[in-house]
Amino acid sequence: MSSLAQLMHHLSATSNLPLYQQLQRALREAIDRGLYGPAEALPAERQLASELDISRITVRKAIDGLVDRKTHV
């Protein structure tokens, strides 16, 4: 299991937060911890969806939220 996958193993369908927000937080934490540098790409949507057993739409919504947050800061 990759370090990113370890951070995301806590995604839960029963959480009060929507799944995309849980993933968004996990991705943000991975970036903050230095798993991905400024010039590095995140794993592909397909890869994340497959590894986490979630839909690509959920992955895309989480990544779009990160991008949105970045452009509004």
Side-chain angles (χ1 to χ4, degrees):
M1 186 183 288
S2 70
S3 297
L4 181 59
Q6 288 172 345
L7 281 175
M8 293 189 227
H9 81 278
H10 295 293
L11 297 181
S12 169
T14 59
S15 171
N16 289 335
L17 281 178
L19 198 53
Y20 80 93
Q21 287 182 343
Q22 294 176 59
L23 176 57
Q24 191 174 348
R25 285 182 176 188
L27 289 170
R28 176 82 264 160
E29 186 177 342
I31 292 166
D32 290 346
R33 286 186 179 188
L35 292 175
Y36 297 97
E40 291 179 81
L42 292 172
E45 285 178 9
R46 277 181 208 239
Q47 180 184 349
L48 285 172
S50 175
E51 283 184 20
L52 300 170
D53 196 26
I54 58 177
S55 75
R56 284 182 62 200
I57 293 169
T58 300
V59 174
R60 181 172 295 144
K61 192 168 182 176
I63 292 172
D64 286 348
L66 285 174
V67 171
D68 247 8
R69 231 173 109 190
K70 178 74 173 167
T71 59
H72 289 98
V73 173

XYZ file of all heavy atoms in Angstrom:
570
model
N 0.847 -1.186 0.000
C 0.000 0.000 0.000
C 0.889 1.243 0.000
O 1.818 1.349 0.772
C -0.887 -0.034 1.250
C -1.906 1.058 1.282
S -2.912 1.080 2.794
C -3.940 -0.337 2.542
N 0.590 2.181 -0.867
C 1.391 3.403 -0.954
C 1.106 4.308 0.237
O 0.121 4.149 0.947
C 1.061 4.145 -2.249
O -0.230 4.694 -2.175
N 1.984 5.270 0.459
C 1.788 6.216 1.557
C 0.485 6.982 1.387
O -0.214 7.251 2.357
C 2.956 7.197 1.615
O 4.137 6.500 1.882
N 0.169 7.324 0.159
C -1.080 8.026 -0.102
C -2.266 7.135 0.263
O -3.202 7.573 0.912
C -1.158 8.455 -1.566
C -2.397 9.225 -1.977
C -2.538 10.498 -1.163
C -2.345 9.555 -3.451
N -2.202 5.893 -0.120
C -3.286 4.965 0.195
C -3.431 4.806 1.700
O -4.546 4.681 2.209
C -3.047 3.625 -0.470
N -2.326 4.816 2.426
C -2.395 4.707 3.886
C -3.127 5.909 4.480
O -3.912 5.760 5.409
C -0.997 4.591 4.481
C -0.356 3.259 4.205
C 1.091 3.216 4.635
O 1.705 4.247 4.898
N 1.640 2.022 4.697
N -2.859 7.091 3.942
C -3.556 8.281 4.434
C -5.055 8.201 4.156
O -5.861 8.727 4.902
C -3.010 9.545 3.769
C -1.708 10.102 4.292
C -1.262 11.276 3.423
C -1.865 10.547 5.736
N -5.420 7.555 3.079
C -6.808 7.544 2.649
C -7.582 6.329 3.105
O -8.761 6.210 2.803
C -6.859 7.670 1.137
C -6.388 9.017 0.684
S -6.711 9.214 -1.027
C -5.172 9.846 -1.553
N -6.954 5.417 3.838
C -7.677 4.209 4.224
C -8.807 4.505 5.209
O -9.631 3.652 5.478
C -6.715 3.154 4.786
C -6.322 3.342 6.203
N -5.332 4.203 6.596
C -6.804 2.782 7.338
C -5.211 4.164 7.904
N -6.083 3.312 8.381
N -8.864 5.712 5.701
C -9.911 6.078 6.640
C -11.171 6.614 5.957
O -12.087 7.042 6.648
C -9.401 7.127 7.638
C -8.309 6.612 8.517
N -8.504 5.640 9.455
C -7.001 6.928 8.577
C -7.369 5.377 10.062
N -6.442 6.152 9.549
N -11.218 6.601 4.635
C -12.424 7.066 3.953
C -13.584 6.170 4.364
O -13.471 4.956 4.392
C -12.244 7.020 2.439
C -11.156 7.910 1.843
C -11.132 7.762 0.335
C -11.329 9.355 2.237
N -14.695 6.790 4.702
C -15.818 6.031 5.227
C -17.135 6.509 4.628
O -17.425 7.704 4.625
C -15.875 6.190 6.742
O -17.077 5.682 7.251
N -17.916 5.565 4.158
C -19.229 5.898 3.614
C -20.197 6.318 4.714
O -21.227 6.921 4.438
C -19.793 4.710 2.850
N -19.859 6.034 5.965
C -20.757 6.376 7.065
C -20.367 7.675 7.774
O -21.002 8.056 8.755
C -20.807 5.227 8.104
O -19.494 5.005 8.606
C -21.361 3.964 7.484
N -19.353 8.345 7.281
C -18.922 9.609 7.872
C -19.961 10.698 7.619
O -20.757 10.612 6.676
C -17.581 10.035 7.259
O -17.242 11.343 7.663
N -19.941 11.731 8.447
C -20.815 12.879 8.228
C -20.385 13.686 7.010
O -21.185 14.408 6.439
C -20.820 13.781 9.464
C -21.543 13.160 10.633
O -22.415 12.309 10.453
N -21.189 13.568 11.826
N -19.108 13.587 6.651
C -18.597 14.301 5.480
C -18.823 13.486 4.222
O -18.637 12.266 4.237
C -17.094 14.543 5.608
C -16.606 15.676 6.475
C -15.083 15.702 6.481
C -17.139 17.004 5.989
N -19.195 14.137 3.130
C -19.284 13.412 1.862
C -17.922 12.802 1.508
O -16.872 13.323 1.891
C -19.672 14.490 0.847
C -20.242 15.599 1.656
C -19.555 15.540 2.990
N -17.950 11.715 0.770
C -16.737 10.994 0.415
C -15.731 11.879 -0.317
O -14.532 11.827 -0.052
C -17.102 9.774 -0.437
C -16.072 8.679 -0.574
C -15.571 8.197 0.777
C -16.654 7.517 -1.357
N -16.223 12.740 -1.217
C -15.298 13.593 -1.956
C -14.564 14.552 -1.020
O -13.403 14.874 -1.235
C -16.001 14.334 -3.103
C -16.781 15.558 -2.686
C -16.187 16.817 -2.703
C -18.112 15.459 -2.290
C -16.899 17.945 -2.321
C -18.824 16.575 -1.913
C -18.217 17.811 -1.928
O -18.911 18.930 -1.552
N -15.238 15.034 0.032
C -14.581 15.930 0.987
C -13.566 15.173 1.844
O -12.514 15.713 2.176
C -15.612 16.625 1.874
C -16.382 17.694 1.139
C -17.381 18.412 2.034
O -17.738 17.929 3.104
N -17.849 19.566 1.581
N -13.868 13.935 2.184
C -12.902 13.119 2.918
C -11.644 12.913 2.070
O -10.524 13.038 2.562
C -13.502 11.754 3.262
C -14.652 11.796 4.238
C -15.224 10.415 4.435
O -14.519 9.497 4.850
N -16.501 10.254 4.137
N -11.846 12.608 0.793
C -10.721 12.409 -0.114
C -9.953 13.711 -0.291
O -8.717 13.726 -0.279
C -11.214 11.890 -1.467
C -10.159 11.719 -2.548
C -9.032 10.786 -2.092
C -10.796 11.209 -3.830
N -10.665 14.806 -0.419
C -10.026 16.115 -0.576
C -9.128 16.407 0.625
O -7.988 16.849 0.468
C -11.106 17.175 -0.720
C -10.610 18.515 -1.135
C -11.772 19.469 -1.397
O -12.933 19.064 -1.479
N -11.478 20.728 -1.520
N -9.617 16.144 1.817
C -8.811 16.361 3.025
C -7.582 15.448 3.047
O -6.495 15.875 3.437
C -9.649 16.114 4.276
C -10.609 17.231 4.569
C -11.368 16.957 5.835
N -12.234 18.097 6.148
C -12.898 18.215 7.264
N -12.826 17.288 8.195
N -13.663 19.272 7.484
N -7.769 14.197 2.654
C -6.650 13.255 2.638
C -5.596 13.688 1.618
O -4.390 13.612 1.886
C -7.146 11.846 2.333
N -6.033 14.147 0.460
C -5.087 14.637 -0.553
C -4.357 15.875 -0.042
O -3.145 16.007 -0.211
C -5.819 14.949 -1.859
C -6.324 13.745 -2.641
C -7.248 14.192 -3.770
C -5.156 12.943 -3.200
N -5.091 16.783 0.579
C -4.472 17.995 1.133
C -3.422 17.620 2.189
O -2.334 18.184 2.224
C -5.570 18.865 1.767
C -5.088 20.113 2.467
C -4.838 21.251 1.500
N -3.434 21.277 1.166
C -2.913 21.860 0.106
N -3.659 22.461 -0.766
N -1.635 21.852 -0.121
N -3.748 16.644 3.029
C -2.807 16.188 4.047
C -1.567 15.565 3.404
O -0.447 15.806 3.845
C -3.476 15.174 4.976
C -2.610 14.756 6.136
C -3.311 13.804 7.094
O -4.557 13.717 7.072
O -2.595 13.155 7.874
N -1.763 14.790 2.348
C -0.632 14.183 1.640
C 0.280 15.263 1.060
O 1.506 15.159 1.134
C -1.131 13.253 0.534
N -0.315 16.305 0.518
C 0.466 17.419 -0.042
C 1.195 18.151 1.083
O 2.383 18.429 0.983
C -0.453 18.368 -0.839
C -0.969 17.662 -2.096
C 0.281 19.664 -1.191
C -2.129 18.356 -2.786
N 0.483 18.426 2.170
C 1.086 19.126 3.308
C 2.234 18.340 3.932
O 3.194 18.919 4.418
C 0.037 19.436 4.383
C -0.962 20.500 3.950
O -0.705 21.197 2.939
O -2.019 20.619 4.608
N 2.131 17.015 3.913
C 3.184 16.162 4.469
C 4.367 15.984 3.522
O 5.343 15.338 3.860
C 2.633 14.781 4.804
C 1.765 14.757 6.018
C 1.389 13.347 6.349
N 0.557 13.300 7.536
C 0.224 12.174 8.134
N 0.653 11.018 7.663
N -0.527 12.201 9.210
N 4.250 16.526 2.323
C 5.350 16.457 1.374
C 5.381 15.202 0.521
O 6.375 14.922 -0.139
N 4.282 14.436 0.511
C 4.245 13.264 -0.365
C 4.256 13.688 -1.831
O 4.680 12.930 -2.689
C 3.009 12.412 -0.078
C 2.979 11.704 1.274
C 1.657 10.992 1.480
C 4.127 10.709 1.377
N 3.766 14.883 -2.081
C 3.767 15.454 -3.433
C 4.294 16.870 -3.355
O 3.764 17.685 -2.609
C 2.352 15.451 -4.035
C 1.845 14.053 -4.199
C 1.016 13.479 -3.250
C 2.243 13.277 -5.274
C 0.590 12.173 -3.374
C 1.824 11.973 -5.397
C 1.001 11.429 -4.449
O 0.592 10.130 -4.570
N 5.328 17.144 -4.129
C 5.917 18.469 -4.177
C 5.191 19.354 -5.175
O 4.306 18.892 -5.904
N 5.586 20.620 -5.238
C 4.915 21.567 -6.133
C 4.965 21.165 -7.615
O 4.049 21.469 -8.364
C 5.672 22.876 -5.917
C 6.445 22.704 -4.668
C 6.618 21.241 -4.439
N 6.002 20.479 -8.015
C 6.142 20.115 -9.425
C 5.664 18.693 -9.711
O 5.777 18.223 -10.841
C 7.598 20.263 -9.851
N 5.134 18.013 -8.709
C 4.706 16.629 -8.887
C 3.204 16.533 -9.110
O 2.431 17.281 -8.527
C 5.062 15.797 -7.660
C 6.543 15.586 -7.485
C 6.822 14.771 -6.244
O 6.697 13.536 -6.325
O 7.122 15.386 -5.213
N 2.831 15.582 -9.937
C 1.416 15.347 -10.212
C 0.852 14.347 -9.211
O 1.561 13.455 -8.742
C 1.247 14.800 -11.626
N -0.410 14.512 -8.904
C -1.115 13.510 -8.107
C -1.321 12.277 -8.979
O -1.259 12.363 -10.200
C -2.475 14.057 -7.663
C -2.474 15.205 -6.668
C -3.887 15.758 -6.499
C -1.919 14.749 -5.336
N -1.613 11.143 -8.373
C -1.935 9.960 -9.180
C -3.143 10.257 -10.076
O -3.975 11.108 -9.764
C -2.283 8.899 -8.141
C -1.614 9.347 -6.891
C -1.620 10.849 -6.943
N -3.227 9.526 -11.157
C -4.336 9.700 -12.096
C -5.671 9.379 -11.435
O -5.737 8.580 -10.497
C -4.128 8.795 -13.307
N -6.726 9.999 -11.926
C -8.065 9.761 -11.395
C -8.398 8.279 -11.386
O -8.917 7.750 -10.401
C -9.119 10.487 -12.234
C -9.177 11.961 -12.026
C -10.210 12.626 -12.921
O -11.001 11.922 -13.588
O -10.232 13.863 -12.949
N -8.102 7.612 -12.498
C -8.395 6.177 -12.593
C -7.680 5.381 -11.522
O -8.245 4.464 -10.934
C -7.986 5.629 -13.954
C -8.978 5.829 -15.008
C -8.469 5.236 -16.306
N -9.064 5.959 -17.389
C -9.810 5.404 -18.322
N -9.983 4.117 -18.336
N -10.350 6.133 -19.251
N -6.419 5.717 -11.308
C -5.625 5.005 -10.312
C -6.205 5.206 -8.913
O -6.374 4.245 -8.156
C -4.175 5.470 -10.355
C -3.294 4.769 -9.340
C -1.875 5.305 -9.330
O -1.472 6.061 -10.203
N -1.117 4.921 -8.329
N -6.504 6.446 -8.560
C -7.085 6.723 -7.249
C -8.428 6.018 -7.091
O -8.695 5.398 -6.062
C -7.261 8.229 -7.037
C -5.992 9.017 -6.753
C -6.289 10.512 -6.772
C -5.386 8.611 -5.417
N -9.262 6.113 -8.104
C -10.579 5.477 -8.040
C -10.441 3.969 -7.854
O -11.139 3.360 -7.029
C -11.379 5.797 -9.299
N -9.525 3.380 -8.582
C -9.315 1.932 -8.498
C -8.760 1.526 -7.138
O -9.261 0.599 -6.501
C -8.379 1.495 -9.618
O -8.069 0.134 -9.495
N -7.711 2.219 -6.679
C -7.078 1.885 -5.401
C -8.032 2.062 -4.225
O -7.982 1.316 -3.255
C -5.845 2.749 -5.160
C -4.629 2.335 -5.943
C -3.403 3.169 -5.605
O -3.371 3.810 -4.532
O -2.467 3.168 -6.422
N -8.893 3.072 -4.305
C -9.775 3.394 -3.186
C -11.175 2.807 -3.342
O -12.011 2.959 -2.466
C -9.861 4.911 -3.018
C -8.530 5.596 -2.740
C -8.677 7.103 -2.838
C -7.995 5.183 -1.383
N -11.410 2.181 -4.488
C -12.705 1.578 -4.788
C -13.835 2.604 -4.671
O -14.843 2.398 -3.988
C -12.967 0.380 -3.865
C -14.095 -0.500 -4.379
O -14.327 -0.513 -5.610
O -14.748 -1.165 -3.557
N -13.610 3.751 -5.312
C -14.620 4.800 -5.384
C -14.746 5.231 -6.835
O -13.922 4.871 -7.676
C -14.268 6.015 -4.485
C -12.916 6.617 -4.865
C -14.304 5.616 -3.018
C -12.541 7.857 -4.070
N -15.749 6.022 -7.151
C -15.968 6.433 -8.537
C -14.986 7.519 -8.959
O -14.487 8.287 -8.130
C -17.399 6.935 -8.728
O -17.554 8.222 -8.165
N -14.745 7.574 -10.259
C -13.890 8.638 -10.795
C -14.542 9.993 -10.594
O -13.854 10.998 -10.433
C -13.611 8.401 -12.281
C -12.582 7.294 -12.495
C -12.259 7.089 -13.946
N -11.678 8.287 -14.538
C -11.649 8.514 -15.839
N -12.175 7.653 -16.685
N -11.098 9.608 -16.305
N -15.850 10.050 -10.599
C -16.555 11.315 -10.388
C -16.243 11.856 -8.993
O -16.006 13.053 -8.819
C -18.081 11.135 -10.580
C -18.369 10.817 -12.043
C -18.845 12.361 -10.119
C -19.781 10.357 -12.312
N -16.203 10.970 -8.005
C -15.864 11.369 -6.636
C -14.440 11.900 -6.576
O -14.178 12.941 -5.963
C -16.040 10.179 -5.669
O -17.404 9.758 -5.715
C -15.663 10.552 -4.245
N -13.524 11.199 -7.243
C -12.120 11.634 -7.282
C -12.016 12.993 -7.960
O -11.361 13.907 -7.451
C -11.232 10.590 -7.993
C -9.814 11.117 -8.162
C -11.229 9.271 -7.237
N -12.684 13.139 -9.085
C -12.629 14.406 -9.820
C -13.180 15.551 -8.983
O -12.609 16.644 -8.953
C -13.411 14.294 -11.123
C -13.361 15.595 -11.940
C -13.954 15.448 -13.307
N -13.131 14.516 -14.058
C -13.610 13.641 -14.939
N -14.899 13.581 -15.180
N -12.810 12.837 -15.582
N -14.274 15.319 -8.281
C -14.874 16.368 -7.456
C -13.913 16.783 -6.335
O -13.790 17.968 -6.020
C -16.200 15.891 -6.885
C -17.021 16.984 -6.260
C -18.429 16.515 -5.982
C -19.242 17.657 -5.398
N -20.638 17.314 -5.194
N -13.225 15.816 -5.750
C -12.251 16.121 -4.687
C -11.098 16.947 -5.240
O -10.698 17.953 -4.640
C -11.721 14.824 -4.077
N -10.573 16.558 -6.388
C -9.445 17.285 -6.988
C -9.890 18.669 -7.442
O -9.182 19.659 -7.220
C -8.825 16.478 -8.142
C -8.156 15.222 -7.568
C -7.817 17.318 -8.929
C -7.677 14.226 -8.610
N -11.066 18.753 -8.041
C -11.583 20.061 -8.453
C -11.719 20.989 -7.249
O -11.436 22.183 -7.341
C -12.940 19.930 -9.154
C -12.834 19.373 -10.559
O -11.707 19.288 -11.100
O -13.886 18.996 -11.118
N -12.137 20.448 -6.117
C -12.261 21.246 -4.903
C -10.915 21.769 -4.433
O -10.805 22.908 -3.970
N -9.871 20.939 -4.553
C -8.522 21.394 -4.195
C -8.069 22.519 -5.112
O -7.510 23.519 -4.663
C -7.513 20.242 -4.287
C -7.550 19.207 -3.187
C -6.596 18.069 -3.515
C -7.190 19.820 -1.850
N -8.324 22.365 -6.383
C -7.933 23.376 -7.367
C -8.696 24.660 -7.112
O -8.110 25.749 -7.106
C -8.173 22.876 -8.807
C -7.974 23.988 -9.825
C -7.263 21.703 -9.106
N -9.995 24.546 -6.870
C -10.825 25.714 -6.574
C -10.293 26.472 -5.354
O -10.206 27.685 -5.350
C -12.254 25.277 -6.284
C -13.222 25.752 -7.339
O -12.783 26.277 -8.369
O -14.434 25.574 -7.113
N -9.987 25.716 -4.319
C -9.465 26.324 -3.082
C -8.161 27.061 -3.339
O -7.927 28.134 -2.833
C -9.243 25.225 -2.049
C -9.861 25.527 -0.732
C -9.770 24.368 0.189
N -8.803 24.704 1.219
C -8.331 23.867 2.081
N -8.672 22.607 2.040
N -7.494 24.245 2.997
N -7.320 26.468 -4.158
C -6.010 27.049 -4.469
C -6.165 28.358 -5.242
O -5.462 29.311 -4.983
C -5.185 26.026 -5.282
C -3.853 26.503 -5.705
C -2.899 26.550 -4.548
C -1.522 26.885 -5.063
N -0.618 27.235 -4.010
N -7.110 28.407 -6.154
C -7.283 29.609 -6.968
C -7.988 30.728 -6.206
O -7.925 31.869 -6.617
C -8.053 29.302 -8.276
O -9.323 28.753 -7.943
C -7.272 28.359 -9.155
N -8.651 30.400 -5.107
C -9.355 31.416 -4.322
C -8.579 31.870 -3.093
O -9.077 32.646 -2.298
C -10.728 30.896 -3.893
C -11.677 30.804 -5.035
N -11.904 29.623 -5.697
C -12.432 31.726 -5.658
C -12.769 29.833 -6.672
N -13.108 31.100 -6.665
N -7.359 31.383 -2.945
C -6.549 31.759 -1.774
C -5.765 33.004 -2.073
O -5.384 33.353 -3.087
C -5.611 30.606 -1.371
C -4.655 31.055 -0.283
C -6.423 29.428 -0.922
